Amino acid sequence: MSSQNMGNYSVTRITQDEGLSQGSNYFWFEDRKGFVWLTCNDALNRYDGSSVKVYNLKYFFKNCPALQQGYGFAEDGNHLYIGSTRGLYSYNYQLDEFTLIDVYKTFSKDKTAIPIGFAEGKIWIFNEAYQLVSFDVTTKKVRLEAQIPIPHLKSVHIYDSDGNVFYFRMPFLDKNRNLCFIGTKEVVTYNLDSKQISFPCRQFSLDPSMTLQSAAYDKKNDALYLGTTDHGIVIFKDHYQHIEHHQKSFKRIGGITVSDHKVVFKSGSSLFIFDKQFRKNTVFHRGYERVFNFQFDKIGRLWICDDGQGEVVMDFRGAMLKNTTDSTDPLMQTFKQQGVSDFAELPDKKILINSSSVFDPVHFSVTKFAAERNSYYTNSRGKSYSNPYTGEVWMFENGVRGNQSKITVFDQNLKFKTSYSFNHIVMGRLQHMVDFPDLPSLFSFSTGLYLLNRTTGKFEKIKSIPDQNPFYINVLSDNRIAVSYLNRDMMLIQMEGEKKYKTIEKILPKVQSFYVQEDVKKKQYWVGTNQGVYLLDQDFEPIKIFDSNNNLAGTYIYGILLDDFGKLWCSHQRGLSSIDTETHLISNYDKEDGIQYWDFNNRGFLKTSDGMLYFGGVKGFNYFKPPLKLSSFYKPEIYFDEILINNKRYAAQKGINFLNEVHLKYDENNISIKALIKDLEHGSQRNMMYRIKNVDQGWKKLSKKAPLNLNSLGPGKYEIEFGITDKFTGKVFSQKLITLHVAKVFYQTFVFWIILGSLFSGGLIVAVSRWEFIRQKNEFKGKMALESQRNKITADLHDDIGSTLSSLQINSMVAGQLIEKQRMEEAQKVLRNIEDQSRKLSENMSDIVWSLQPNNDSLMTLSTRIRNIVSEILGNTTVNYTIDIDETIDAEILDFSIKKNIILIAKEALNNMVKYSNAAEVFINLKKNVHHYILEIKDDGIGFDQLNLKGNGIGNMKKRTLEMNGIFELESQNGTTIKILIPKFRD
């Protein structure tokens, strides 16, 4: 067998990371709607090109258990049918729900039903006993059609298959209207027209020991491919009339599939891909040991189940950004292992890579350069240059002998021409070289810029440009170059002659710049730096900066190239990006587009003479020819997968995806719309956009797989439009529109205002008639309130002042009698009593007068009054005090009796504390909560025994609290705390 070149193929995977419910998928099916369905042990999975939907929730299944492991698929245009051990599941695309049909109810105790295909308006089904039945999709009638003479299946379960798995040999409907069944020893056909059973194998002299293990049908060429356990591959052609036998030495062919150009099968632990003539092949001996269930989709991609790890998709057209990362070629694998940092275009349009390998982009092949001289392969990586004017190739070999390095020159036929040596200790490391049509080649070494005298073979330093560490030489128009330096500014240099170079100016001072691309037509310069890409005008003045602030994925630029179609391409630490030179639209390319890896390499870029672009990175390289565009076999389509209203799933009679309008109540205003893009070819590379059409014209990007959430929508109409865009054009193609109508609250409706107006008119009449009554009632209430206030004042004067005046009168009489009897000491005590009572009377009168004052003076506020009292009582003592009052209470407590009681309680508590507590610290707080005003006075004194109280102080405070309908709390342990809770609202 000769080796087949696979071309630039790519491999992608769909795994549990992408949402797959399980890594083993026994059955694969691509339907007419543009979905791929995968059966797993736990649930049915559906893939749309970018996202996986798992059908494992009860609401998808109408009056039936959820489908777990499915067996086989068929479709009739409106429904998808999936086999199971419970019966036949029917999936309604419109309603997105399943029902279960017991097709073998009258024919077998076994409920297993496995669909084969759709024909004559019927789904054709078989079971473990190979009973063939038909299900009429219109009448829903089931009919037993035939008993297929094949040994019964022991079980459909993968772990109970006796080593020869039945679904490697699934029945199928061929182009001649035969249902074809493959047993382990026999092929049986059932013709839908004649109802006859035939045995194609019996007309040929096949080895009776042959065991059939796998089968695939090529409908286009009407050929049945059979894989055997030890006899290779057998092919029936031309309506089973001719037979071919290929690759007889192959054994254990477990799984086989065919496309228009390829035959794929697994033999042992190796995966084989042959052409249809079995002349060329590619073999994967490693990496695909666990694969099975091979299927080609409609565009020729190979889908393979990698058991336990998900689905592998092999695209033989290669990724959009072509790469070599998936190639099995040993030389191409070295690119992945060592990375790529150097390209040179050879005269025959092939590409010299890393000075070691020659890459042919047309045939996707690679060979060693100068295979007889191994040093090129091992020592020269990264330093080769081609002269486009002479066809010469210059290759640098470092450290050939001691301090000597060598440059080898090859002619355009890649034959050795000459070589030059240089002292790398003196000149430093070679960084770059460029060629000119009429000037000597220019070299940059660590120590400066050099010219090579080809007569003497010596390098001559350009003394007019003495700067050290030149990094890269950018060739510009008008005999100018822009030289970048390590850790220095880029310099613009004029070449005035063969050895005359003159510095003109700095480019982007204080910015570490590496590369320049000149747009001659627009008279602009694009500069790659360590801070993004700069666009400069013809005078090298900045026009715009492209970095992470305006969506450039990477900002440390490793290479830039202008293509022939108006785009600048740049490699960086986060993949590849392009910038449209007209619109400045930035497009970022990542692993889904085929980049070799995130990080690329400095100076590893090339634009070939035919416009192909190459970018080298840490795991290989990418190459592509602009312009890039998405040309898809599948028509991209936006579909609604789910709508949530206030976090509840919305059910539409005709299905969610067919909704145009949704009418919602005023409080159904939290909407979540899960809209997805269906495109099996480029779904992951397309972006979903949306806008509220009647509100704004600008489109917004919707994150992949994330729903559109609209919260707290006000009443009104919302036209929500969804569109698709891609990174190549930037244009948005509108595709789906849904209108949401959020109703107004009842009091915002016209009917409400009519009712309200009628009520208002009637109410106005009643109001006028009752106005006089209300006025009189209010006047009476005012009089009663005034009388109540008078009564309160009278009570306070009687209780607080009257009793004190009576006591003064009595004490005055006693004092007079004691003086008459010359009992002076006793008289003085009584007089002192009179003095104390008079002082207290004055204070009480002051408090009553204060409480009656209107609260329009800051000096009269409750908080000010409390502070004054505390200062008067404690100011001349050694007690430290802290006052914390919420001053908003001043405007809330207006009742004079409340204010008076608060003041008197505070006075009583503070006086008691001074007299009896021996406290060093006192805290006075007046706060409020939702229901109460809270007065709290707390000290750190010795406390007291509440069972042996003396005096009336505590009683007075309790009495005043009761007057306010409040709660009195007293605690005397580790100090004393008095807490009064005064209700804000009282009866």
Side-chain angles (χ1 to χ4, degrees), residues 176-192:
N176 300 300
R177 294 174 54 79
N178 291 302
L179 291 173
C180 186
F181 298 84
I182 298 95
T184 58
K185 294 292 185 178
E186 186 77 89
V187 175
V188 180
T189 62
Y190 174 82
N191 187 268
L192 298 181

Side-chain angles (χ1 to χ4, degrees), residues 855 862 889-895 898-899 902 926 933 982:
N855 197 17
L862 178 60
I889 295 175
D890 291 337
E892 297 180 13
I893 298 180
L894 302 178
D895 189 310
I898 301 294
K899 293 194 292 181
I902 290 173
L926 181 58
Y933 301 110
I982 307 163

Side-chain angles (χ1 to χ4, degrees), residues 705-827:
K705 304 179 186 177
L708 172 61
N709 294 313
L710 304 169
N711 296 319
S712 302
L713 291 178
K717 176 182 176 182
Y718 300 88
E719 295 178 347
I720 304 170
E721 189 174 18
F722 293 88
I724 298 175
T725 186
D726 60 62
K727 62 187 67 181
F728 305 102
T729 64
K731 296 179 181 179
V732 180
F733 298 95
S734 174
Q735 196 176 87
K736 209 164 185 67
L737 179 70
I738 184 170
T739 303
L740 304 179
H741 300 272
V742 181
K744 295 180 179 180
V745 185
F746 178 66
Y747 60 75
Q748 295 177 324
T749 62
F750 181 70
V751 173
F752 171 80
W753 286 107
I754 292 176
I755 296 172
L756 185 63
S758 300
L759 293 174
F760 178 76
S761 299
L764 186 61
I765 296 172
V766 174
V768 170
S769 64
R770 286 180 55 84
W771 177 78
E772 183 62 26
F773 171 75
I774 293 172
R775 183 185 64 79
Q776 292 175 358
K777 184 177 179 180
N778 288 338
E779 187 176 308
F780 176 75
K781 282 185 177 180
K783 290 179 180 180
M784 292 299 293
L786 181 60
E787 185 64 26
S788 177
Q789 294 287 355
R790 287 173 179 169
N791 291 337
K792 286 183 179 180
I793 294 170
T794 302
D796 284 334
L797 290 173
H798 180 271
D799 294 342
D800 294 334
I801 298 173
S803 61
T804 304
L805 289 174
S806 298
S807 179
L808 283 173
Q809 183 179 6
I810 294 170
N811 283 333
S812 297
M813 291 173 60
V814 171
Q817 293 174 357
L818 291 173
I819 291 172
E820 289 177 359
K821 295 179 181 180
Q822 298 298 314
R823 295 163 62 180
M824 301 305 296
E825 289 185 5
E826 296 179 21

